Amino acid sequence: MTTTEPLLDVRDLSVTFARKSGPTVHAVDGVSFTVRPGETVGLVGESGSGKSVTSLAVMGLLPRRGVRVGGQVLFDTDDLLTLPRDRMRDIRGRDIAMVFQDPMSSLNPVVPIGVQVTEVLERHQRLRGDKASAAAAELLSRVGIPDPTRRLKEYPHQLSGGMRQRALIAMALACQPRLLIADEPTTALDVTIQAQIIELLKELVQDTGAALVMITHDLGIVAGLCDTVHVMYSGRIVESAGRRELFAEPRHPYTGGLLASVPRLDAPRGAPLHPIPGSPTDVLRWERGCAFAPRCPNRLDACTDGPPPLETLPGRRLRCLNPLSETEEVPA
Amino acid sequence: MLKFVVRRLLLLVPILFGLSVLLFVWLRALPGGPAQALLGERATAESVARIEALYGLDEAWYVQYWKFVSAAVQLDFGNSARTNRPVTEEMLRTFPATFELAIAALIFAIGIGIPLGYFAARKYGSWLDNLSVSGSLLGVAVPVFFLAYILKYVFSVKLGWFPTQGRDDPRIDADHPTGFYVLDGIVTGNLEASWDAIMHLVLPAIALGAIPLAIIVRITRASVLDVVHEDYVRTAEAKGLQERTITRRHVLRNALLPVVTVIGLQAGLLFSGAILTETVFSFDGVGRFIAEAISNRDYAVLQGFILVIAAMYVVVNLLVDVSYGLIDPRVRVR
Ligand SMILES: Nc1ncnc2c1ncn2[C@@H]1O[C@H](COP(=O)(O)OP(=O)(O)OP(=O)(O)O)[C@@H](O)[C@H]1O
Ligand SMILES: [Mg+2]
């Protein structure tokens, strides 16, 4: 790994939602990570772990009401969290772009695909008219949409889910952003299409040199794509490591559980999967101990005494009092 | 598209047929008849019979109905028993008046309703939002004739800002080639007459437009509140688009779809509101004419006018559906 300056430096990010009834929700709680230029970083965790909220905070797209955001999000030495709103608008879509989970609802149903692509080019690159259309057609063909000039005139409902996600990727990459955030870009798609989209993203970030933050709950995707992985649980990072280290040697019992629940191509046919027992709603508040403790096979009494710290080990960060031992085999 | 329009227009035939039968039977089931109304309380049996024979009212209802239908398909609805002029002539006089009033009412309701609903939604929970929500509740609850009287009393009688009645000032000399007085003033170069016609329209249009306004505010507000949370608006934000592009292209275009439907429905209903408004402001239009026809049991006028209004209601709804197809590609019919 090179030691270039990070492109994105998220420091101690926290996001709380105030609710009219009930306690405030600590959706993201002291999350720190960096993304270097061209690097692909995975953000992994079950539903509700705060992955989307983290990415929306980076993009400045959280609702303004009832939300408190703390910490810093440094991009090019600017703190995105304190940047004026119009400066942030200039950065979004040009330097940082995002692809969302559901391609069915992420495109405007009453505006032709072409307009939805060219509007980014008009906004950030001042391209107009024929030039913009030509560039848009070029972008569509680059993401593997056949017959792009015809597609430009069509409406979202005339495209399949996979094609729509390709179109959304084209929009995101229109201005050659230096950072692309993809929030579960394949969850809503068929399995065969999923693989194609991941392959496409991989190719595109390699070609353009863009850094990628890949948000997913699928470790299979991470394995084929990411340089570094951060595992989140209930709003906090519980383990971070390079992809190799993490897969070869998961230390957090939650990471171990996630790995055990992934169907492996090299496993013998019919080998059992091991889902993590319990559900992500079964959490402890971090102030009172490890949030994963109620589901953890390695739980100690000390785990529920107070929040475990995020320790920095060689090549790894780990938030666990009783990690899996360094040589322990992942149950497979 | 053309096929769709033709199919919908063909639907008019059974609708108008059914309606005309109902109307015909219902009118003749009403107590008292046109002869009675024409001659007054002390009419003798012979004079009533003479009038009835004159208008063919002594024949069996199905014979009358057949005569009515065969004339009506040639746009001949007979003569008004009250004014003794052809019903079609009365239509040509009164329909432009009511159209002009309805258009003014819609301009008022749409021009204020959509921006107000939009800003209420964007400033959700603010005083503007609360005011427009409670105002729109009031708007649908206040009876039209009550509102019309209040407006007339305050702004015409007390403050004298607007004329109290009619469509124009008789002291102004004006030609009326189209029957739309505002337009007439413009085409004949008589802008004073146009302005005068507008001043006569203001209060009746507000009274007539109040309910549509209230409904448009509410629908727009609810619809914008929905749409701003849609994923595609978040996509637009993620692209860094300017706020006005997001508002116009991504929020309003979608949020106005249900509003268009509601405007169409309200436009059709304006005729019933016009009866009350026109009566209060002595506005010489369809509504007032029908109200008078009812008290006079003027069969020919009621039959003709109500059928034409029903046909227009269907056509307005067709126009709404067509325009809906133009702005929403998902329902576009080929
Ligand atoms: N607008 C909001 N208001 C209140 N709470 C919210 C809001 N958005 C998210 N949350 C809460 O924040 C927490 C984290 O949500 P987030 O969407 O980041 O999860 P996620 O890791 O992306 O999960 P998924 O895999 O389901 O997308 C959840 O508990 C959620 O209920
Ligand atoms: Mg999410």
Side-chain angles (χ1 to χ4, degrees):
Chain A
M1 272 177 226
T2 49
T3 49
T4 39
E5 285 289 296
L7 176 67
L8 179 76
D9 188 353
V10 176
R11 293 187 183 169
D12 202 23
L13 178 71
S14 67
V15 179
T16 47
F17 292 98
R19 290 185 304 185
K20 279 204 183 102
S21 56
T24 57
V25 180
H26 236 106
V28 176
D29 196 355
V31 163
S32 303
F33 64 94
T34 61
V35 182
R36 281 188 299 276
E39 189 186 20
T40 296
V41 170
L43 221 51
V44 192
E46 282 168 304
S47 197
S49 53
K51 308 179 299 286
S52 295
V53 172
T54 302
S55 61
L56 292 176
V58 171
M59 291 290 286
L61 290 178
L62 286 169
R64 264 172 285 158
R65 284 184 194 216
V67 183
R68 283 238 316 277
V69 184
Q72 286 180 307
V73 175
L74 302 178
F75 184 80
D76 274 351
T77 70
D78 287 323
D79 182 0
L80 300 184
L81 297 183
T82 57
L83 219 54
R85 281 160 43 76
D86 50 339
R87 288 271 316 274
M88 194 62 209
R89 266 186 207 287
D90 290 340
I91 290 180
R92 276 202 300 263
R94 188 187 66 194
D95 300 307
I96 310 179
M98 186 156 175
V99 175
F100 296 96
Q101 178 168 349
D102 189 353
M104 292 319 206
S105 57
S106 294
L107 286 167
N108 186 337
V110 302
V111 173
I113 303 288
V115 175
Q116 299 191 54
V117 180
T118 50
E119 65 183 359
V120 205
L121 299 167
E122 281 170 15
R123 166 72 172 94
H124 296 295
Q125 304 195 328
R126 315 232 157 268
L127 283 183
R128 307 235 178 267
D130 289 347
K131 269 194 186 156
S133 305
E138 170 64 33
L139 279 165
L140 288 196
S141 75
R142 184 124 163 260
V143 296
I145 296 182
D147 202 357
T149 13
R150 181 170 62 88
R151 291 297 187 186
L152 285 177
K153 295 190 199 86
E154 293 191 340
Y155 289 88
H157 72 276
Q158 293 167 286
L159 271 62
S160 68
M163 285 297 154
R164 291 191 210 189
Q165 196 59 296
R166 285 173 194 268
L168 281 155
I169 292 172
M171 291 167 203
L173 292 175
C175 302
Q176 284 121 21
R178 283 176 291 159
L179 175 64
L180 176 66
I181 303 177
D183 186 357
E184 310 201 32
T186 59
T187 337
L189 302 173
D190 288 348
V191 187
T192 47
I193 312 286
Q194 287 188 6
Q196 292 173 11
I197 295 287
I198 293 299
E199 201 49 42
L200 173 69
L201 278 173
K202 194 172 169 178
E203 246 176 64
L204 289 171
V205 293
Q206 261 163 19
D207 292 354
T208 61
L212 172 67
V213 173
M214 183 70 183
I215 295 177
T216 178
H217 52 246
D218 183 348
L219 277 178
I221 290 176
V222 172
L225 196 63
C226 300
D227 305 316
T228 313
V229 187
H230 305 281
V231 181
M232 288 184 73
Y233 193 80
S234 191
R236 293 194 188 191
I237 289 178
V238 292
E239 184 167 14
S240 302
R243 180 208 354 177
R244 263 174 226 290
E245 292 79 0
L246 193 90
F247 278 87
E249 208 182 284
R251 300 291 308 281
H252 199 286
Y254 177 60
T255 316
L258 280 179
L259 277 177
S261 65
V262 176
R264 295 171 65 139
L265 287 178
D266 58 353
R269 269 182 94 79
L273 292 177
H274 299 274
I276 305 174
S279 91
T281 53
D282 193 12
V283 296
L284 201 63
R285 292 177 64 94
W286 279 109
E287 302 84 75
R288 298 185 35 216
C290 175
F292 185 59
R295 301 166 70 191
C296 184
N298 279 21
R299 180 181 56 231
L300 305 174
D301 287 345
C303 291
T304 51
D305 286 348
L310 187 65
E311 285 178 273
T312 307
L313 311 173
R316 187 186 302 259
R317 289 185 300 168
L318 180 63
R319 192 191 294 278
C320 185
L321 297 181
N322 187 22
L324 306 172
S325 72
E326 295 190 30
T327 50
E328 194 170 338
E329 252 305 296
V330 188
Chain B
M1 179 64 125
L2 194 66
K3 240 164 108 185
F4 168 77
V5 172
V6 169
R7 214 171 40 224
R8 286 282 295 270
L9 285 176
L10 282 179
L11 250 169
L12 264 176
V13 175
I15 290 175
L16 291 182
F17 176 73
L19 183 66
S20 65
V21 174
L22 281 177
L23 202 62
F24 212 78
V25 173
W26 172 70
L27 283 176
R28 275 148 189 80
L30 286 178
Q36 192 87 54
L38 218 58
L39 299 171
E41 287 294 313
R42 276 184 251 167
T44 60
E46 299 96 77
S47 52
V48 168
R50 197 152 35 82
I51 292 284
E52 290 197 333
L54 184 66
Y55 286 98
L57 293 171
D58 51 349
E59 291 171 281
W61 73 267
Y62 48 87
V63 179
Q64 292 184 39
Y65 181 73
W66 175 246
K67 285 187 176 166
F68 166 71
V69 170
S70 37
V73 293
Q74 302 166 45
L75 292 181
D76 172 8
F77 296 100
N79 281 7
S80 161
R82 186 168 61 91
T83 65
N84 211 10
R85 288 166 13 127
V87 170
T88 30
E89 211 172 275
E90 300 287 10
M91 285 178 180
L92 288 178
R93 186 174 57 82
T94 53
F95 270 98
T98 298
F99 275 140
E100 194 169 45
L101 174 59
I103 290 167
L106 280 181
I107 289 174
F108 165 71
I110 294 170
I112 295 183
I114 289 177
L116 195 60
Y118 174 77
F119 286 111
R122 290 323 288 258
K123 302 262 176 269
Y124 178 74
S126 69
W127 65 267
L128 176 75
D129 184 29
N130 294 330
L131 191 73
S132 66
V133 169
S134 38
S136 64
L137 281 176
L138 198 70
V140 284
V142 172
V144 173
F145 71 88
F146 180 72
L147 179 62
Y149 269 120
I150 297 283
L151 286 172
K152 181 172 161 177
Y153 182 76
V154 174
F155 295 102
S156 303
V157 179
K158 283 286 150 191
L159 295 172
W161 293 354
F162 299 99
T164 51
Q165 59 169 322
R167 294 184 68 193
D168 60 352
D169 190 330
R171 287 165 297 181
I172 295 177
D173 236 2
D175 289 331
H176 298 298
T178 66
F180 292 83
Y181 284 11
V182 178
L183 188 66
D184 287 339
I186 293 169
V187 295
T188 59
N190 188 348
L191 292 183
E192 193 195 0
S194 276
W195 180 248
D196 175 57
I198 290 174
M199 293 306 274
H200 278 86
L201 276 173
V202 171
L203 293 183
I206 292 176
L208 186 57
I211 289 178
L213 169 67
I215 293 173
I216 289 171
V217 169
R218 277 202 304 192
I219 301 289
T220 307
R221 174 179 175 276
S223 179
V224 169
L225 280 178
D226 275 351
V227 169
V228 292
H229 292 116
E230 290 286 348
D231 286 350
Y232 52 78
V233 175
R234 191 182 55 188
T235 306
E237 291 281 3
K239 291 173 178 173
L241 301 181
Q242 299 287 13
E243 211 153 347
R244 59 172 188 277
T245 315
I246 296 177
T247 299
R248 262 191 273 144
R249 187 178 290 160
H250 297 286
V251 176
L252 278 182
R253 262 209 224 175
N254 284 284
L256 290 184
L257 293 178
V259 181
V260 170
T261 309
V262 163
I263 289 173
L265 291 172
Q266 289 302 314
L269 294 176
L270 284 178
F271 275 103
S272 53
I275 295 187
L276 301 166
T277 315
E278 291 180 359
T279 305
V280 172
F281 288 98
S282 309
F283 193 93
D284 199 4
V286 173
R288 199 165 75 114
F289 201 70
I290 287 183
E292 279 164 7
I294 290 174
S295 52
N296 287 307
R297 302 281 185 272
D298 197 341
Y299 291 171
V301 167
L302 291 175
Q303 284 161 184
F305 272 64
I306 292 177
L307 284 182
V308 170
I309 290 172
M312 278 187 309
Y313 191 79
V314 173
V315 171
V316 166
N317 275 301
L318 176 61
L319 286 179
V320 169
D321 286 354
V322 169
S323 61
Y324 199 93
L326 291 181
I327 45 180
D328 188 348
R330 287 164 299 182
V331 300
R332 203 162 283 175
V333 264
R334 276 148 215 288

